[in-house]
Amino acid sequence: MSEHKAIKVALVGNPNTGKTSLFNQLTGLNQKVGNYPGITVDKKVGKATLSEGCQASVIDLPGTYSINPTSVDENIVLQTLLIKEHKDFPDVIVVVADIENIKRNLLLYSQIKDLQIPTILAINMADQLDKKGVEIDLEQLKTELKSEVVLISARKNLGIDKLKEVIENYKDLDTSALAHISGKIDKPYFDELKQSFPKLSLYKAWLYITQLDEYNGLDDKEVSLIRSYKKDKSKLKKYQHKETIYRYQQINSILKKTYKVDKSKARDLRSKLDKVLTHKIFGYVIFAVILMMIFQSIFDWASIPMDYIDAFFAHLSTRTQEILPEGMLTDLISQGIIPGIGGIVIFIPQIAILFLFVSILEETGYMSRVVFLMDKIMRRFGMSGKSVVPLISGTACAIPAVMAARNISSWKERLITIMVVPFVTCSARLPVYAIIIALIIPQDRVLGVFSLQGLTLLGLYLLGFFMAMISGYVLHKTLKVEGKSFFLIEMPDYKLPSIKNVFYTVVEKTKAFIFGAGKIILAISIILWFLASNGPAAFDAAEENFNKSNIESGLSVDNNEALASYKLEHSYIGVMGKAIEPAIRPLGYDWKIGIALISSFAAREVFVGTLATIYSVGNDDEENTTIKQRMAEEVNEITGEKLFNIPVGMSLLIFYAFAMQCASTLAIVKRETNSWKWPMIQLFGMGLIAYIASFITFNLLS
Ligand code: GDP
Ligand code: MG
């Protein structure tokens, strides 16, 4: 076969019928997740090879129950399929149904078929036919629907080749309408309608009148006609209602002839499991236990690759310094770029492992039970059961978490979720917590078993979580944002997770982090490097002065670390640290902490590295203990006491728990909310909370 233009295929279907699984099956890694212009709904497109020389470009449209749009998602589906000029307008539509909910699936199919675009019905989950006691007369169904129907299993890779073949030959498909709504509702009315719009199919004209407020692709005369038809609202409502009833009648009669299900076979396991997992008490206990196990394994598993990554980049940095000729560029690479990239890569293990678990829980169907279970509670805090996944994801990184809030259909609930997610303890806070806790909390045990340090860490996690809930409550009561919420949750069957789907989810989320946070972290690292290695006029003379003063005081000149510290003090960032000292004095901090604080407004994890430099300690692993020791020895210039005592340490912990110190999160919130207003509220609101809380902590304890 010669070169073809790729066939445009659109996957449409109810949520949870397996569209994404089919999409993964068809496209493999050849996929791209983007955004619909102007709105943050995921848009997935990919390339599939149907046969040798025949390519298709596949789009995975958002799940929808009908093409009457009641949500942004459904509107996208309607716009894509209705408007020929639309960039994603398909050559052929594959409606994905599943063997169990076929009646509801066919309502959508019946509407889509009436658009008179080549349409294929793919009935998914064929691997479960026996288990569910379902029998389908495929040939009869094809005749009744005047369509090609293919039984597939996206998970088991059954029937996919047949589906590809039918897609390839889409030109042979019957494109006549199925329902012929006109005669059943009001024949004269629809006859007139048909005559008014000779260029449109009857159903399309009807959809323009009943569903749309934009009329791309119509001429002025048609638009004004549509406007006049729109006037009789009550009639339209009545007819739409009749339309749905009629479609269901037709579907029922078709299914009677073609579809049998033996209910006794199905559902017992599911209902038993549901009873336990959504139980008033056990449900929560089980969820808590699962969460604890997940976090435990993240800590256990991720620390190993993280140590390697850390060591690798440290090594790379020293090697570059050694190999490349001395100079500005080498410094930029070895002290700006390499640590910057390392600072991104180090978070990948935690993020990947967390999303591995989250996607397994989603795949098995358990997450839907959690959503159901948690909805009542979350609602009091202005969120929905669906906020649980973003909040859990926030323990890895706020970026994929903010994006995961896309699943929440009510705008207000989604916005509140996005606003409070940064309070959740993310992995970038851990290195900061770890070093401060080690400094100020003794290694004692409580009741002989619990380590005091461990309990402090747990306390900080809970603190972040409660703060998220409290601010959710406050926003819920104060925000005047419109957003009706219907609680419509699918309770899919329990399933063994599909490895393929889990794999793609993990890849997708990790990519979102790397490209969302990565660019910014890298850019900021370079800026910080610049600010720390350059300074006002005196800076250039720093080395000389340093040597001079050392010689005068009789110290060895050969002290690189002390020089680095001296340089940092006189760099731009050192000057900034000193400038903010009066403002942070009340929290117990000096200008050195000020430097670390400023640099961690870009990314928290920079804190430890900055302190390490300023306390003139190398970054090598063996000297890790020395960072701690040096910090422990640090003396308050005014009081002459130890600087990192309990009041200062606790004040710092509280500051890091509450402050919005992450430029990447701000950027992602800007993107997801389409406005600078919300990230700015986060930046200043959380900053204020952090400042006040640290002030109180410091003054109470000292
Ligand atoms: P979407 O919401 O339509 O995109 O559906 P997904 O592709 O996310 O699939 C929903 C659930 O059905 C997932 O847990 C899939 O693993 C599962 N699933 C998809 N295809 C099949 C199949 O052929 N057989 C079975 N047993 N499960 C499937
Ligand atoms: Mg999907």
Side-chain angles (χ1 to χ4, degrees):
M1 223 187 262
S2 64
E3 276 281 309
H4 265 259
K5 230 180 95 212
I7 301 172
K8 283 189 178 173
V9 183
L11 303 182
V12 185
N14 293 176
N16 280 310
T17 50
K19 286 179 305 300
T20 303
S21 306
L22 175 60
F23 178 77
N24 288 342
Q25 196 65 257
L26 288 173
T27 62
L29 269 178
N30 257 326
Q31 46 177 272
K32 221 173 68 195
V33 186
N35 266 322
Y36 289 92
I39 37 171
T40 42
V41 172
D42 284 341
K43 172 177 179 174
K44 289 189 167 179
V45 284
K47 290 250 172 304
T49 306
L50 299 178
S51 66
E52 210 179 307
C54 181
Q55 294 280 324
S57 103
V58 187
I59 176 164
D60 183 12
L61 287 170
T64 172
Y65 290 103
S66 72
I67 51 177
N68 313 344
T70 55
S71 70
V72 186
D73 286 10
E74 293 182 342
N75 200 23
I76 289 170
V77 176
L78 182 63
Q79 299 273 351
T80 311
L81 301 184
L82 198 57
I83 298 164
K84 264 217 167 73
E85 290 72 23
H86 196 290
K87 157 168 146 308
D88 298 317
F89 185 82
D91 296 315
V92 49
I93 302 172
V94 177
V95 175
V96 183
D98 67 298
I99 56 164
E100 259 196 304
N101 305 302
I102 191 118
K103 191 192 281 183
R104 200 183 60 205
N105 295 164
L106 280 183
L107 176 72
L108 178 66
Y109 182 81
S110 142
Q111 293 181 322
I112 294 210
K113 173 93 172 128
D114 286 0
L115 294 174
Q116 301 185 298
I117 305 168
T119 302
I120 303 162
L121 179 65
I123 306 181
N124 191 22
M125 312 209 185
D127 54 313
Q128 306 247 313
L129 280 173
D130 280 347
K131 208 164 127 210
K132 304 285 177 198
V134 172
E135 267 176 64
I136 299 174
D137 182 345
L138 205 59
E139 291 310 313
Q140 179 79 10
L141 192 60
K142 284 185 196 172
T143 324
E144 297 282 341
L145 292 176
K146 297 190 281 187
S147 309
E148 268 299 335
V149 184
V150 189
L151 257 177
I152 62 166
S153 166
R155 162 162 319 166
K156 298 271 156 75
N157 200 2
L158 300 173
I160 305 292
D161 288 336
K162 170 78 188 157
L163 178 64
K164 285 184 179 171
E165 188 189 314
V166 180
I167 295 175
E168 188 174 351
N169 299 313
Y170 73 94
K171 289 198 174 123
D172 304 337
L173 294 171
D174 178 344
T175 53
S176 60
L178 180 64
H180 298 293
I181 47 172
S182 63
K184 312 290 173 187
I185 301 175
D186 178 344
K187 192 149 191 323
Y189 178 87
F190 280 96
D191 281 349
E192 192 196 306
L193 188 69
K194 175 110 198 87
Q195 270 165 18
S196 312
F197 298 98
K199 278 190 284 178
L200 295 180
S201 75
L202 176 62
Y203 188 55
K204 264 195 191 175
W206 178 236
L207 284 176
Y208 270 116
I209 292 168
T210 53
Q211 311 290 1
L212 287 173
D213 295 315
E214 295 165 60
Y215 312 106
N216 304 336
L218 297 186
D219 62 34
D220 291 349
K221 208 178 115 231
E222 287 169 325
V223 172
S224 71
L225 254 172
I226 283 183
R227 292 229 165 92
S228 70
Y229 269 106
K230 262 185 189 295
K231 285 203 183 101
D232 198 348
K233 286 247 160 26
S234 65
K235 189 179 216 165
L236 292 179
K237 258 223 166 85
K238 202 171 83 197
Y239 285 1
Q240 268 186 291
H241 193 64
K242 280 191 175 176
E243 177 197 335
T244 310
I245 293 178
Y246 170 65
R247 284 186 194 278
Y248 268 128
Q249 280 172 354
Q250 190 186 26
I251 291 165
N252 280 336
S253 86
I254 292 176
L255 285 180
K256 216 177 247 164
K257 290 180 236 167
T258 57
Y259 181 87
K260 277 195 205 63
V261 55
D262 179 359
K263 282 268 183 211
S264 65
K265 275 197 186 176
R267 298 202 177 263
D268 5 318
L269 177 66
R270 171 182 166 148
S271 58
K272 269 188 211 149
L273 266 178
D274 271 354
K275 259 197 201 117
V276 184
L277 295 180
T278 59
H279 187 271
K280 275 197 297 259
I281 298 161
F282 300 128
Y284 296 103
V285 175
I286 293 171
F287 181 48
V289 170
I290 291 180
L291 272 187
M292 269 161 56
M293 280 171 14
I294 291 180
F295 288 133
Q296 188 59 43
S297 4
I298 291 177
F299 279 114
D300 287 352
W301 298 352
S303 64
I304 304 163
M306 284 171 85
D307 287 346
Y308 277 113
I309 293 170
D310 204 15
F312 171 77
F313 278 95
H315 179 73
L316 193 63
S317 173
T318 352
R319 289 291 293 160
T320 335
Q321 193 94 47
E322 285 165 15
I323 293 169
L324 295 181
E326 224 171 277
M328 186 87 168
L329 186 64
T330 305
D331 282 357
L332 170 66
I333 294 173
S334 68
Q335 291 165 23
I337 296 178
I338 293 179
I341 295 177
I344 302 159
V345 175
I346 192 137
F347 290 113
I348 291 179
Q350 282 194 344
I351 290 171
I353 295 175
L354 181 78
F355 279 102
L356 177 72
F357 284 113
V358 168
S359 70
I360 288 176
L361 291 187
E362 284 188 324
E363 274 280 310
T364 51
Y366 176 68
M367 215 37 126
S368 306
R369 274 73 188 179
V370 172
V371 169
F372 176 79
L373 196 67
M374 298 298 289
D375 196 66
K376 247 214 208 111
I377 302 177
M378 300 304 285
R379 214 154 275 278
R380 278 191 220 144
F381 299 96
M383 290 175 264
S384 100
K386 290 189 179 164
S387 310
V388 170
V389 173
L391 289 177
I392 295 177
S393 313
T395 57
C397 171
I399 290 156
V402 166
M403 291 174 66
R406 288 179 175 190
N407 279 336
I408 303 168
S409 47
S410 145
W411 168 239
K412 184 171 177 181
E413 288 166 0
R414 180 173 163 200
L415 182 63
I416 293 181
T417 309
I418 291 176
M419 293 300 281
V420 306
V421 151
F423 277 122
V424 176
T425 303
C426 66
S427 42
R429 285 179 174 99
L430 276 181
V432 182
Y433 287 174
I435 195 149
I436 298 176
I437 288 178
L439 267 179
I440 62 164
I441 307 287
Q443 272 177 324
D444 295 351
R445 299 211 164 251
V446 183
L447 303 172
V449 270
F450 302 107
S451 114
L452 199 54
Q453 298 189 337
L455 286 179
T456 312
L457 185 62
L458 180 68
L460 285 164
Y461 266 96
L462 292 178
L463 184 69
F465 182 70
F466 282 122
M467 200 58 202
M469 300 305 277
I470 293 167
S471 22
Y473 182 80
V474 173
L475 289 171
H476 179 45
K477 293 290 170 197
T478 51
L479 269 189
K480 299 268 173 294
V481 177
E482 196 158 339
K484 276 268 165 301
S485 107
F486 322 86
F487 189 54
L488 214 161
I489 168 83
E490 273 290 289
M491 284 280 207
D493 267 339
Y494 294 102
K495 298 190 180 90
L496 278 178
S498 128
I499 297 172
K500 214 175 202 163
N501 285 358
V502 170
F503 173 74
Y504 288 126
T505 311
V506 172
V507 171
E508 197 185 293
K509 300 288 178 184
T510 312
K511 259 165 76 182
F513 164 74
I514 295 175
F515 295 109
K519 281 181 288 199
I520 295 177
I521 296 183
L522 186 59
I524 300 263
S525 317
I526 293 171
I527 294 174
L528 280 180
W529 164 81
F530 177 83
L531 291 178
S533 51
N534 291 279
F539 182 82
D540 292 331
E543 200 154 340
E544 232 165 85
N545 291 341
F546 174 77
N547 290 343
K548 211 168 25 185
S549 69
N550 270 353
I551 293 168
E552 277 161 13
S553 56
L555 278 173
S556 131
V557 186
D558 191 29
N559 189 340
N560 279 329
E561 288 166 351
L563 172 63
S565 166
Y566 184 89
K567 272 185 154 176
L568 188 57
E569 181 181 344
H570 294 89
S571 68
Y572 286 117
I573 211 161
V575 173
M576 285 155 79
K578 286 189 173 165
I580 65 161
E581 187 167 315
I584 55 174
R585 212 13 109 195
L587 312 185
Y589 314 152
D590 65 359
W591 63 268
K592 295 184 183 178
I593 299 181
I595 294 181
L597 224 50
I598 292 176
S599 43
S600 35
F601 262 91
R604 300 178 175 93
E605 65 278 11
V606 181
F607 178 82
V608 180
T610 314
L611 282 186
T613 315
I614 201 154
Y615 294 133
S616 61
V617 180
N619 258 331
D620 304 337
D621 261 343
E622 342 157 320
E623 294 187 60
N624 243 342
T625 43
T626 3
I627 301 183
K628 220 176 88 187
Q629 277 169 10
R630 292 299 273 266
M631 285 171 74
E633 285 160 13
E634 192 65 19
V635 171
N636 185 319
E637 285 166 13
I638 296 176
T639 61
E641 288 171 22
K642 276 197 173 164
L643 179 66
F644 287 97
N645 52 13
I646 293 211
V648 173
M650 288 306 282
S651 160
L652 261 178
L653 287 178
I654 298 289
F655 193 88
Y656 274 82
F658 292 157
M660 176 60 155
Q661 296 163 297
C662 182
S664 324
T665 304
L666 291 172
I668 226 81
V669 171
K670 149 78 177 54
R671 199 185 77 190
E672 296 291 297
T673 60
N674 233 332
S675 128
W676 276 110
K677 175 176 164 194
W678 303 111
M680 285 304 118
I681 293 178
Q682 280 179 319
L683 179 64
F684 292 105
M686 292 174 70
L688 195 66
I689 293 173
Y691 191 89
I692 295 172
S694 300
F695 179 78
I696 294 174
T697 311
F698 178 67
N699 286 290
L700 278 184
L701 292 176
S702 53

